[in-house]
Amino acid sequence: MTTDKVNPVGTKDEPFRRALNRPYYYGYARTGKTVYAYTKQEWGIGAGSGGGDHKLIRSFYFSLLATALIFLPASLACLVFGLLALFKMPLMTLVMVFFGLIFGLGVLQGYFNVQEEWRGRKARKLKGLPKPWWQAADDHAYEWFLTHPDSRIQMTLDYFPHSAKLRRQEVAR
């Protein structure tokens, strides 16, 4: 393993590789301060990261309603109006088909969100885990699991790839 100034622990792409291959994601339930560890399958569409009040868009029901009540009707309406305008206004037809395709992408995204969250719900239910509403930073999750040990969680950079505390400890060794 090479050492360089960008990443003193290893190669330049090592943090990226660790983040992609991490075994667990960490999050909080809707209430409480407990940090839970989720596999990628259990995470589902999971929590949003950062602050703000945008957590509703990461829910199963919101994705289902947005897809069924907004994107699907808008996409179909654009395509129908595009076909109706085909003979009288050819330019308008292109515009309507374009927006129909754009809204169609919203339908696809909603479908994939609902499907992923459905699988996540089933996986979480098997282990009795709550839905992750807020993402826990790796440093905070690392501190949590130091004081609340879990046999599944190893205290390494592979399990907490974005932890500055662990990275400093690796450099100090």
Side-chain angles (χ1 to χ4, degrees), residues 12-52:
K12 290 180 185 179
D13 66 338
E14 185 177 358
F16 181 71
R17 180 192 54 78
R18 283 186 174 154
L20 283 178
N21 297 325
R22 66 185 306 154
Y24 291 102
Y25 296 85
Y26 307 102
Y28 302 100
R30 186 176 233 170
T31 58
K33 301 291 181 191
T34 303
V35 176
Y36 295 94
Y38 301 90
T39 63
K40 186 174 179 77
Q41 292 77 27
E42 293 164 349
W43 189 256
I45 57 175
S49 59

mmCIF file of all heavy atoms in Angstrom, residues 12-52:
data_model
loop_
_atom_site.group_PDB
_atom_site.id
_atom_site.type_symbol
_atom_site.label_atom_id
_atom_site.label_comp_id
_atom_site.label_asym_id
_atom_site.label_seq_id
_atom_site.Cartn_x
_atom_site.Cartn_y
_atom_site.Cartn_z
ATOM 1 N N LYS A 12 -5.248 6.869 -2.940
ATOM 2 C CA LYS A 12 -6.218 7.960 -3.074
ATOM 3 C C LYS A 12 -7.649 7.455 -3.128
ATOM 4 O O LYS A 12 -8.560 8.111 -2.648
ATOM 5 C CB LYS A 12 -5.927 8.775 -4.334
ATOM 6 C CG LYS A 12 -4.682 9.580 -4.263
ATOM 7 C CD LYS A 12 -4.483 10.349 -5.551
ATOM 8 C CE LYS A 12 -3.162 11.068 -5.519
ATOM 9 N NZ LYS A 12 -2.909 11.801 -6.761
ATOM 10 N N ASP A 13 -7.863 6.301 -3.730
ATOM 11 C CA ASP A 13 -9.226 5.789 -3.856
ATOM 12 C C ASP A 13 -9.651 4.889 -2.699
ATOM 13 O O ASP A 13 -10.762 4.354 -2.711
ATOM 14 C CB ASP A 13 -9.397 5.061 -5.185
ATOM 15 C CG ASP A 13 -8.562 3.793 -5.269
ATOM 16 O OD1 ASP A 13 -7.574 3.686 -4.533
ATOM 17 O OD2 ASP A 13 -8.929 2.914 -6.080
ATOM 18 N N GLU A 14 -8.821 4.733 -1.703
ATOM 19 C CA GLU A 14 -9.171 3.859 -0.580
ATOM 20 C C GLU A 14 -10.421 4.329 0.177
ATOM 21 O O GLU A 14 -11.300 3.503 0.461
ATOM 22 C CB GLU A 14 -7.993 3.720 0.386
ATOM 23 C CG GLU A 14 -8.284 2.740 1.491
ATOM 24 C CD GLU A 14 -7.100 2.535 2.408
ATOM 25 O OE1 GLU A 14 -6.037 3.129 2.176
ATOM 26 O OE2 GLU A 14 -7.255 1.778 3.364
ATOM 27 N N PRO A 15 -10.577 5.630 0.519
ATOM 28 C CA PRO A 15 -11.821 6.036 1.199
ATOM 29 C C PRO A 15 -13.060 5.775 0.344
ATOM 30 O O PRO A 15 -14.094 5.367 0.859
ATOM 31 C CB PRO A 15 -11.632 7.532 1.438
ATOM 32 C CG PRO A 15 -10.169 7.754 1.381
ATOM 33 C CD PRO A 15 -9.631 6.732 0.444
ATOM 34 N N PHE A 16 -12.944 5.988 -0.946
ATOM 35 C CA PHE A 16 -14.061 5.730 -1.853
ATOM 36 C C PHE A 16 -14.407 4.244 -1.869
ATOM 37 O O PHE A 16 -15.580 3.861 -1.798
ATOM 38 C CB PHE A 16 -13.692 6.230 -3.251
ATOM 39 C CG PHE A 16 -14.771 6.046 -4.259
ATOM 40 C CD1 PHE A 16 -15.926 6.815 -4.205
ATOM 41 C CD2 PHE A 16 -14.654 5.101 -5.263
ATOM 42 C CE1 PHE A 16 -16.937 6.650 -5.131
ATOM 43 C CE2 PHE A 16 -15.651 4.930 -6.192
ATOM 44 C CZ PHE A 16 -16.795 5.699 -6.129
ATOM 45 N N ARG A 17 -13.400 3.394 -1.948
ATOM 46 C CA ARG A 17 -13.611 1.946 -1.944
ATOM 47 C C ARG A 17 -14.260 1.502 -0.637
ATOM 48 O O ARG A 17 -15.191 0.708 -0.634
ATOM 49 C CB ARG A 17 -12.277 1.220 -2.141
ATOM 50 C CG ARG A 17 -12.401 -0.300 -2.160
ATOM 51 C CD ARG A 17 -11.058 -1.002 -2.073
ATOM 52 N NE ARG A 17 -10.247 -0.607 -0.940
ATOM 53 C CZ ARG A 17 -10.430 -1.039 0.314
ATOM 54 N NH1 ARG A 17 -11.418 -1.848 0.600
ATOM 55 N NH2 ARG A 17 -9.633 -0.646 1.291
ATOM 56 N N ARG A 18 -13.759 2.037 0.470
ATOM 57 C CA ARG A 18 -14.342 1.673 1.773
ATOM 58 C C ARG A 18 -15.784 2.129 1.892
ATOM 59 O O ARG A 18 -16.629 1.426 2.443
ATOM 60 C CB ARG A 18 -13.509 2.282 2.898
ATOM 61 C CG ARG A 18 -12.247 1.535 3.152
ATOM 62 C CD ARG A 18 -11.542 2.078 4.357
ATOM 63 N NE ARG A 18 -10.406 1.235 4.660
ATOM 64 C CZ ARG A 18 -9.337 1.646 5.284
ATOM 65 N NH1 ARG A 18 -9.244 2.891 5.690
ATOM 66 N NH2 ARG A 18 -8.351 0.816 5.530
ATOM 67 N N ALA A 19 -16.069 3.326 1.404
ATOM 68 C CA ALA A 19 -17.445 3.832 1.488
ATOM 69 C C ALA A 19 -18.397 2.982 0.649
ATOM 70 O O ALA A 19 -19.531 2.739 1.050
ATOM 71 C CB ALA A 19 -17.494 5.291 1.047
ATOM 72 N N LEU A 20 -17.946 2.530 -0.506
ATOM 73 C CA LEU A 20 -18.791 1.684 -1.348
ATOM 74 C C LEU A 20 -18.997 0.294 -0.761
ATOM 75 O O LEU A 20 -20.061 -0.302 -0.919
ATOM 76 C CB LEU A 20 -18.175 1.537 -2.737
ATOM 77 C CG LEU A 20 -18.338 2.709 -3.678
ATOM 78 C CD1 LEU A 20 -17.632 2.424 -4.993
ATOM 79 C CD2 LEU A 20 -19.796 3.022 -3.924
ATOM 80 N N ASN A 21 -17.994 -0.226 -0.093
ATOM 81 C CA ASN A 21 -18.048 -1.594 0.419
ATOM 82 C C ASN A 21 -18.368 -1.680 1.907
ATOM 83 O O ASN A 21 -18.168 -2.718 2.510
ATOM 84 C CB ASN A 21 -16.717 -2.302 0.145
ATOM 85 C CG ASN A 21 -16.441 -2.422 -1.323
ATOM 86 O OD1 ASN A 21 -17.351 -2.593 -2.112
ATOM 87 N ND2 ASN A 21 -15.185 -2.313 -1.706
ATOM 88 N N ARG A 22 -18.842 -0.603 2.478
ATOM 89 C CA ARG A 22 -19.111 -0.620 3.914
ATOM 90 C C ARG A 22 -20.197 -1.645 4.253
ATOM 91 O O ARG A 22 -21.190 -1.753 3.545
ATOM 92 C CB ARG A 22 -19.477 0.769 4.411
ATOM 93 C CG ARG A 22 -20.770 1.297 3.861
ATOM 94 C CD ARG A 22 -21.079 2.722 4.253
ATOM 95 N NE ARG A 22 -21.047 2.902 5.656
ATOM 96 C CZ ARG A 22 -20.796 4.052 6.260
ATOM 97 N NH1 ARG A 22 -20.578 5.124 5.569
ATOM 98 N NH2 ARG A 22 -20.766 4.130 7.556
ATOM 99 N N PRO A 23 -20.012 -2.391 5.332
ATOM 100 C CA PRO A 23 -21.003 -3.423 5.674
ATOM 101 C C PRO A 23 -22.258 -2.845 6.329
ATOM 102 O O PRO A 23 -23.325 -3.452 6.240
ATOM 103 C CB PRO A 23 -20.254 -4.337 6.638
ATOM 104 C CG PRO A 23 -19.094 -3.560 7.123
ATOM 105 C CD PRO A 23 -18.802 -2.495 6.122
ATOM 106 N N TYR A 24 -22.148 -1.690 6.999
ATOM 107 C CA TYR A 24 -23.292 -1.122 7.710
ATOM 108 C C TYR A 24 -23.415 0.369 7.455
ATOM 109 O O TYR A 24 -22.431 1.076 7.258
ATOM 110 C CB TYR A 24 -23.168 -1.346 9.225
ATOM 111 C CG TYR A 24 -23.317 -2.782 9.615
ATOM 112 C CD1 TYR A 24 -22.205 -3.553 9.929
ATOM 113 C CD2 TYR A 24 -24.560 -3.389 9.670
ATOM 114 C CE1 TYR A 24 -22.333 -4.881 10.274
ATOM 115 C CE2 TYR A 24 -24.701 -4.718 10.012
ATOM 116 C CZ TYR A 24 -23.588 -5.455 10.312
ATOM 117 O OH TYR A 24 -23.717 -6.772 10.646
ATOM 118 N N TYR A 25 -24.658 0.836 7.499
ATOM 119 C CA TYR A 25 -24.990 2.256 7.493
ATOM 120 C C TYR A 25 -25.604 2.532 8.849
ATOM 121 O O TYR A 25 -26.255 1.666 9.427
ATOM 122 C CB TYR A 25 -25.990 2.572 6.372
ATOM 123 C CG TYR A 25 -25.423 2.327 5.005
ATOM 124 C CD1 TYR A 25 -25.457 1.060 4.434
ATOM 125 C CD2 TYR A 25 -24.837 3.357 4.287
ATOM 126 C CE1 TYR A 25 -24.922 0.827 3.184
ATOM 127 C CE2 TYR A 25 -24.294 3.127 3.032
ATOM 128 C CZ TYR A 25 -24.339 1.864 2.491
ATOM 129 O OH TYR A 25 -23.813 1.634 1.257
ATOM 130 N N TYR A 26 -25.438 3.740 9.345
ATOM 131 C CA TYR A 26 -25.872 4.041 10.705
ATOM 132 C C TYR A 26 -26.937 5.124 10.678
ATOM 133 O O TYR A 26 -26.827 6.101 9.936
ATOM 134 C CB TYR A 26 -24.679 4.476 11.550
ATOM 135 C CG TYR A 26 -23.559 3.466 11.473
ATOM 136 C CD1 TYR A 26 -22.439 3.684 10.679
ATOM 137 C CD2 TYR A 26 -23.664 2.250 12.138
ATOM 138 C CE1 TYR A 26 -21.438 2.743 10.565
ATOM 139 C CE2 TYR A 26 -22.668 1.294 12.021
ATOM 140 C CZ TYR A 26 -21.555 1.549 11.241
ATOM 141 O OH TYR A 26 -20.580 0.595 11.120
ATOM 142 N N GLY A 27 -27.975 4.930 11.484
ATOM 143 C CA GLY A 27 -29.057 5.891 11.508
ATOM 144 C C GLY A 27 -29.823 5.840 12.806
ATOM 145 O O GLY A 27 -29.630 4.962 13.651
ATOM 146 N N TYR A 28 -30.689 6.844 12.959
ATOM 147 C CA TYR A 28 -31.555 6.979 14.127
ATOM 148 C C TYR A 28 -32.981 6.649 13.725
ATOM 149 O O TYR A 28 -33.377 6.875 12.586
ATOM 150 C CB TYR A 28 -31.556 8.421 14.639
ATOM 151 C CG TYR A 28 -30.217 8.966 15.018
ATOM 152 C CD1 TYR A 28 -29.529 9.802 14.150
ATOM 153 C CD2 TYR A 28 -29.641 8.654 16.237
ATOM 154 C CE1 TYR A 28 -28.303 10.324 14.493
ATOM 155 C CE2 TYR A 28 -28.406 9.175 16.588
ATOM 156 C CZ TYR A 28 -27.744 10.005 15.708
ATOM 157 O OH TYR A 28 -26.523 10.518 16.043
ATOM 158 N N ALA A 29 -33.749 6.169 14.693
ATOM 159 C CA ALA A 29 -35.177 5.989 14.479
ATOM 160 C C ALA A 29 -35.825 7.373 14.551
ATOM 161 O O ALA A 29 -35.160 8.379 14.789
ATOM 162 C CB ALA A 29 -35.759 5.063 15.544
ATOM 163 N N ARG A 30 -37.125 7.420 14.356
ATOM 164 C CA ARG A 30 -37.833 8.706 14.360
ATOM 165 C C ARG A 30 -37.675 9.419 15.700
ATOM 166 O O ARG A 30 -37.548 10.638 15.746
ATOM 167 C CB ARG A 30 -39.299 8.460 14.061
ATOM 168 C CG ARG A 30 -40.093 9.702 13.891
ATOM 169 C CD ARG A 30 -41.497 9.377 13.502
ATOM 170 N NE ARG A 30 -41.799 10.142 12.307
ATOM 171 C CZ ARG A 30 -42.857 9.978 11.583
ATOM 172 N NH1 ARG A 30 -43.721 9.049 11.888
ATOM 173 N NH2 ARG A 30 -43.063 10.726 10.545
ATOM 174 N N THR A 31 -37.702 8.688 16.779
ATOM 175 C CA THR A 31 -37.507 9.267 18.110
ATOM 176 C C THR A 31 -36.364 8.543 18.792
ATOM 177 O O THR A 31 -36.075 7.396 18.490
ATOM 178 C CB THR A 31 -38.779 9.117 18.971
ATOM 179 O OG1 THR A 31 -39.094 7.731 19.064
ATOM 180 C CG2 THR A 31 -39.947 9.863 18.361
ATOM 181 N N GLY A 32 -35.737 9.208 19.698
ATOM 182 C CA GLY A 32 -34.677 8.569 20.452
ATOM 183 C C GLY A 32 -33.293 8.929 19.959
ATOM 184 O O GLY A 32 -33.110 9.535 18.914
ATOM 185 N N LYS A 33 -32.309 8.543 20.749
ATOM 186 C CA LYS A 33 -30.909 8.841 20.444
ATOM 187 C C LYS A 33 -30.108 7.585 20.126
ATOM 188 O O LYS A 33 -28.909 7.654 19.948
ATOM 189 C CB LYS A 33 -30.259 9.553 21.642
ATOM 190 C CG LYS A 33 -30.933 10.845 22.028
ATOM 191 C CD LYS A 33 -30.710 11.887 20.981
ATOM 192 C CE LYS A 33 -31.375 13.186 21.394
ATOM 193 N NZ LYS A 33 -31.429 14.141 20.338
ATOM 194 N N THR A 34 -30.773 6.436 20.058
ATOM 195 C CA THR A 34 -30.087 5.183 19.787
ATOM 196 C C THR A 34 -29.628 5.146 18.339
ATOM 197 O O THR A 34 -30.379 5.482 17.428
ATOM 198 C CB THR A 34 -31.028 3.995 20.050
ATOM 199 O OG1 THR A 34 -31.489 4.066 21.403
ATOM 200 C CG2 THR A 34 -30.326 2.676 19.827
ATOM 201 N N VAL A 35 -28.384 4.724 18.116
ATOM 202 C CA VAL A 35 -27.850 4.550 16.774
ATOM 203 C C VAL A 35 -28.014 3.079 16.402
ATOM 204 O O VAL A 35 -27.616 2.194 17.147
ATOM 205 C CB VAL A 35 -26.359 4.959 16.700
ATOM 206 C CG1 VAL A 35 -25.791 4.674 15.321
ATOM 207 C CG2 VAL A 35 -26.190 6.425 17.058
ATOM 208 N N TYR A 36 -28.616 2.840 15.251
ATOM 209 C CA TYR A 36 -28.823 1.490 14.757
ATOM 210 C C TYR A 36 -27.911 1.236 13.563
ATOM 211 O O TYR A 36 -27.634 2.147 12.784
ATOM 212 C CB TYR A 36 -30.279 1.280 14.330
ATOM 213 C CG TYR A 36 -31.268 1.372 15.458
ATOM 214 C CD1 TYR A 36 -31.910 2.572 15.737
ATOM 215 C CD2 TYR A 36 -31.544 0.270 16.244
ATOM 216 C CE1 TYR A 36 -32.824 2.668 16.771
ATOM 217 C CE2 TYR A 36 -32.455 0.348 17.283
ATOM 218 C CZ TYR A 36 -33.087 1.554 17.545
ATOM 219 O OH TYR A 36 -33.979 1.647 18.581
ATOM 220 N N ALA A 37 -27.489 -0.008 13.410
ATOM 221 C CA ALA A 37 -26.666 -0.402 12.267
ATOM 222 C C ALA A 37 -27.547 -1.172 11.288
ATOM 223 O O ALA A 37 -28.244 -2.117 11.668
ATOM 224 C CB ALA A 37 -25.508 -1.271 12.727
ATOM 225 N N TYR A 38 -27.521 -0.735 10.015
ATOM 226 C CA TYR A 38 -28.335 -1.340 8.970
ATOM 227 C C TYR A 38 -27.438 -1.825 7.841
ATOM 228 O O TYR A 38 -26.508 -1.124 7.448
ATOM 229 C CB TYR A 38 -29.296 -0.309 8.366
ATOM 230 C CG TYR A 38 -30.248 0.311 9.343
ATOM 231 C CD1 TYR A 38 -29.918 1.464 10.040
ATOM 232 C CD2 TYR A 38 -31.500 -0.248 9.551
ATOM 233 C CE1 TYR A 38 -30.804 2.052 10.923
ATOM 234 C CE2 TYR A 38 -32.397 0.326 10.435
ATOM 235 C CZ TYR A 38 -32.042 1.480 11.124
ATOM 236 O OH TYR A 38 -32.919 2.037 11.993
ATOM 237 N N THR A 39 -27.753 -2.979 7.292
ATOM 238 C CA THR A 39 -27.089 -3.390 6.062
ATOM 239 C C THR A 39 -27.695 -2.576 4.922
ATOM 240 O O THR A 39 -28.721 -1.908 5.099
ATOM 241 C CB THR A 39 -27.290 -4.891 5.783
ATOM 242 O OG1 THR A 39 -28.689 -5.125 5.595
ATOM 243 C CG2 THR A 39 -26.732 -5.754 6.898
ATOM 244 N N LYS A 40 -27.102 -2.650 3.745
ATOM 245 C CA LYS A 40 -27.632 -1.903 2.593
ATOM 246 C C LYS A 40 -29.067 -2.322 2.282
ATOM 247 O O LYS A 40 -29.907 -1.487 1.960
ATOM 248 C CB LYS A 40 -26.732 -2.105 1.389
ATOM 249 C CG LYS A 40 -27.114 -1.265 0.194
ATOM 250 C CD LYS A 40 -26.083 -1.415 -0.908
ATOM 251 C CE LYS A 40 -26.442 -0.609 -2.118
ATOM 252 N NZ LYS A 40 -26.193 0.796 -2.035
ATOM 253 N N GLN A 41 -29.372 -3.613 2.400
ATOM 254 C CA GLN A 41 -30.721 -4.097 2.127
ATOM 255 C C GLN A 41 -31.713 -3.579 3.176
ATOM 256 O O GLN A 41 -32.851 -3.266 2.845
ATOM 257 C CB GLN A 41 -30.761 -5.630 2.092
ATOM 258 C CG GLN A 41 -30.035 -6.238 0.923
ATOM 259 C CD GLN A 41 -28.511 -6.235 1.100
ATOM 260 O OE1 GLN A 41 -27.999 -6.247 2.214
ATOM 261 N NE2 GLN A 41 -27.793 -6.190 -0.004
ATOM 262 N N GLU A 42 -31.292 -3.516 4.428
ATOM 263 C CA GLU A 42 -32.182 -3.048 5.493
ATOM 264 C C GLU A 42 -32.401 -1.545 5.430
ATOM 265 O O GLU A 42 -33.418 -1.046 5.895
ATOM 266 C CB GLU A 42 -31.590 -3.403 6.862
ATOM 267 C CG GLU A 42 -31.537 -4.869 7.128
ATOM 268 C CD GLU A 42 -30.620 -5.233 8.292
ATOM 269 O OE1 GLU A 42 -29.853 -4.376 8.770
ATOM 270 O OE2 GLU A 42 -30.662 -6.405 8.690
ATOM 271 N N TRP A 43 -31.455 -0.818 4.855
ATOM 272 C CA TRP A 43 -31.542 0.644 4.803
ATOM 273 C C TRP A 43 -32.722 1.078 3.938
ATOM 274 O O TRP A 43 -33.395 2.049 4.244
ATOM 275 C CB TRP A 43 -30.229 1.203 4.258
ATOM 276 C CG TRP A 43 -30.098 2.674 4.351
ATOM 277 C CD1 TRP A 43 -30.237 3.563 3.325
ATOM 278 C CD2 TRP A 43 -29.785 3.457 5.502
ATOM 279 N NE1 TRP A 43 -30.016 4.833 3.769
ATOM 280 C CE2 TRP A 43 -29.745 4.802 5.103
ATOM 281 C CE3 TRP A 43 -29.538 3.144 6.835
ATOM 282 C CZ2 TRP A 43 -29.472 5.836 5.987
ATOM 283 C CZ3 TRP A 43 -29.254 4.174 7.716
ATOM 284 C CH2 TRP A 43 -29.231 5.500 7.297
ATOM 285 N N GLY A 44 -33.001 0.369 2.863
ATOM 286 C CA GLY A 44 -34.089 0.766 1.970
ATOM 287 C C GLY A 44 -33.755 2.098 1.324
ATOM 288 O O GLY A 44 -32.619 2.339 0.927
ATOM 289 N N ILE A 45 -34.751 3.004 1.215
ATOM 290 C CA ILE A 45 -34.431 4.337 0.717
ATOM 291 C C ILE A 45 -33.909 5.192 1.852
ATOM 292 O O ILE A 45 -33.383 6.258 1.624
ATOM 293 C CB ILE A 45 -35.612 5.016 -0.018
ATOM 294 C CG1 ILE A 45 -36.842 5.117 0.837
ATOM 295 C CG2 ILE A 45 -35.881 4.349 -1.330
ATOM 296 C CD1 ILE A 45 -37.989 5.884 0.194
ATOM 297 N N GLY A 46 -34.049 4.691 3.071
ATOM 298 C CA GLY A 46 -33.353 5.228 4.224
ATOM 299 C C GLY A 46 -33.593 6.676 4.539
ATOM 300 O O GLY A 46 -34.542 7.293 4.101
ATOM 301 N N ALA A 47 -32.666 7.192 5.295
ATOM 302 C CA ALA A 47 -32.753 8.551 5.796
ATOM 303 C C ALA A 47 -32.054 9.511 4.853
ATOM 304 O O ALA A 47 -31.183 9.136 4.103
ATOM 305 C CB ALA A 47 -32.089 8.617 7.171
ATOM 306 N N GLY A 48 -32.453 10.756 4.924
ATOM 307 C CA GLY A 48 -31.707 11.798 4.227
ATOM 308 C C GLY A 48 -30.497 12.144 5.066
ATOM 309 O O GLY A 48 -30.425 11.866 6.251
ATOM 310 N N SER A 49 -29.527 12.739 4.453
ATOM 311 C CA SER A 49 -28.365 13.158 5.219
ATOM 312 C C SER A 49 -28.443 14.653 5.439
ATOM 313 O O SER A 49 -29.056 15.383 4.672
ATOM 314 C CB SER A 49 -27.073 12.789 4.481
ATOM 315 O OG SER A 49 -27.067 13.402 3.228
ATOM 316 N N GLY A 50 -27.822 15.108 6.481
ATOM 317 C CA GLY A 50 -27.784 16.541 6.766
ATOM 318 C C GLY A 50 -29.026 17.012 7.483
ATOM 319 O O GLY A 50 -29.843 16.237 7.946
ATOM 320 N N GLY A 51 -29.157 18.306 7.573
ATOM 321 C CA GLY A 51 -30.266 18.894 8.315
ATOM 322 C C GLY A 51 -31.444 19.205 7.425
ATOM 323 O O GLY A 51 -31.539 18.765 6.290
ATOM 324 N N GLY A 52 -32.336 19.994 7.947
ATOM 325 C CA GLY A 52 -33.505 20.385 7.177
ATOM 326 C C GLY A 52 -34.669 19.457 7.430
ATOM 327 O O GLY A 52 -34.564 18.439 8.087
#
